[in-house]
Amino acid sequence: MSSATTDRDRLATVNIPKPFSAWQQVFKEARTRILLWYLLILGVTFLIAVPAFRYRLYQRIDERVRQDMVEDMAAFKALINAQTVASKNAIEDDPEDIAFESERLSELLSEKEQIVPPTSKEDLKKLFKTYLRHRLSEDESYFITFIDGEFYKSSPRARPKQLAENSELMQKWAQQTQPEQGEKEFSDPNTGKILYMVEPIEINDKTRGVFVVAHSAAGERAEALESVSVIIEVSSLVFVVSLILAWLAAGRILAPLRTMTNTAHAISETDLTQRLPVQGKGELAELATTFNEMMDRLEAAFATQREFVNDAGHELRTPITIIRGHLELMGDDPQEKEETLALVMGELDRMSRLVDDMILLAKAERSDFLQLTKVDVAELTQELFTKAVALAERDWQLDAMAKGQIIVDRQRITEAVMNLAQNATQHTAKSDTIAIGSVIAKGKVRFWVRDTGEGIPLVDQKRIFERFARSSNSRRRSEGAGLGLSIVRAIAEAHGGQVLLRSKLGTGSMFTIVLPLDPPQEMSEYAQYFNSRR
């Protein structure tokens, strides 16, 4: 093999980091996604707000321009009628504003120039000259006059090309015979839209003149656009700053999640002691609390599992050692073979019972462990007593039988009570009494097994419900593996109940299974679903 090939193969095995992996990781972060959503929301908001703001500015400009045009036209009409107030035919406006404009214009005229309603072409020319000389137009506003269909004068003289003498719009106004107001949009950006008001003037029932107030909105719209551009510039700067602040704020808010991730990475099967710091209140604090509670349950479950595996290994190792030892020492003698075979079968039976008990305890944690049905308590109690009497020769008694129906798993309850009865026979003599009974009171049903045996020390009364545990003062070794009471407790807790123990050394013990009359709602619903699929 050549050295070049060797180097190429060696380089192929080297983990070369990807140049964009860091950036890809950044884009996968939660705060990056939050920032992108924030960017999207603000971007859409700006895309909607800027055109809406510009449209509203244009509206305000048009409204103001029309108001100015109305005032100019009202002053002209007042001058025509030689009044200080607007005539009834004037365009609607605030009467006080119209009166003021007419009065102000009249004061500017000398006594010789005082106008009366025109009666001839010369009067009309004088009227137009007087108005144009004394009435100053606003920026980009135009006063345009026509006499006998021809352009006469305008103020100011300079006008955009769209208002030239031979333009289409001017020709239209010159021939106007009815009052009109409107607007005309042009493609030329220097002119834009022109708003206008037209007032024909009649002399002897014939239209002899036309007065037009026109306004080009291009300049004011340009100013509005400049204002919009300034707003966009400032808003863009604010937008960028807000994105940076949002990025930093999101990182600070999501810091507990990074702590949780680091803690989760630090957790292993051998170290389940890591916990998250809980700070303040809110969703993240609640999440940290929930995570810590989950870790408490996991730590307890792993501890129980380790103990269970150790105890199960110890319990299984003993019969295996006994079987192996007797098989290795077994000779050719038929009687010896028969004795060894009987011993081996006995140990295998004990191992089988141990395995069955462990499987039962494992199933107790599953949601389909119970098959709930409606059970008559008195009938079940009588059945339990009948089965228990056959376990051993004792003074068996039936204390009481409750009347009523409950919802339980009949087979599991029978198994639990039989375990208690079997446990009682192992800690009593033939002359002792073992009693079974049931009662319903305060929304609960109670099944008990009591005996007059040796009793259980106070120090052992909680421990004996643990797996592979036995009472320390037992006069005889139980044939079981110490899982019976653990099974009883698992069955009771699966029903939403508990097991109570009352015992005194030398007097006896009483085990009571306390169950609710109705199982929890979620348990009942799942049982109905599970049973329907069977």
Side-chain angles (χ1 to χ4, degrees), residues 325-341:
H326 281 79
L327 289 177
E328 289 176 350
L329 297 176
M330 184 177 65
D332 296 331
D333 184 23
Q335 183 178 357
E336 183 180 354
K337 288 183 178 181
E338 184 177 351
E339 292 176 353
T340 301
L341 181 60

Side-chain angles (χ1 to χ4, degrees), residues 182-313:
E183 58 185 48
K184 178 74 173 179
E185 191 78 37
F186 293 96
S187 58
D188 186 359
N190 295 324
T191 304
K193 181 169 64 174
I194 292 181
L195 293 85
Y196 60 86
M197 294 182 68
V198 180
E199 182 65 27
I201 303 171
E202 293 184 356
I203 299 177
N204 298 325
D205 298 328
K206 183 179 180 181
T207 302
R208 299 295 303 276
V210 177
F211 177 73
V212 178
V213 179
H215 183 90
S216 173
E220 292 179 318
R221 286 194 171 190
E223 293 177 0
L225 285 177
E226 186 176 355
S227 300
V228 172
S229 64
V230 172
I231 291 175
I232 293 176
E233 291 177 4
V234 175
S235 299
S236 300
L237 179 60
V238 173
F239 183 59
V240 172
V241 173
S242 64
L243 288 180
I244 297 174
L245 295 178
W247 170 266
L248 298 176
R252 185 175 182 84
I253 293 173
L254 297 176
L257 293 181
R258 289 196 297 273
T259 303
M260 183 181 297
T261 302
N262 296 333
T263 303
H265 283 308
I267 293 172
S268 63
E269 186 177 349
T270 57
D271 182 16
L272 298 174
T273 59
Q274 299 287 338
R275 296 295 183 271
L276 293 177
V278 180
Q279 299 177 353
K281 297 180 180 179
E283 291 85 353
L284 292 179
E286 184 177 353
L287 178 61
T289 302
T290 304
F291 181 84
N292 291 339
E293 292 173 351
M294 178 192 70
M295 290 308 304
D296 292 338
R297 293 192 296 271
L298 284 176
E299 186 175 10
F302 271 90
T304 303
Q305 183 186 48
R306 283 194 294 269
E307 294 176 1
F308 181 76
V309 170
N310 293 336
D311 293 338

Side-chain angles (χ1 to χ4, degrees), residues 135 173 288 423 457 467:
R135 182 76 174 185
W173 290 340
N423 184 71
R467 296 170 180 177

Side-chain angles (χ1 to χ4, degrees), residues 21 57 60 72 112 232 234 256 324-325 333 347 428 519 534:
S21 59
L57 276 179
R60 296 291 294 272
D72 291 332
K112 293 182 180 180
I232 293 176
V234 175
R324 175 178 292 176
D333 184 23
E347 291 299 316
T428 56
R534 292 181 60 84

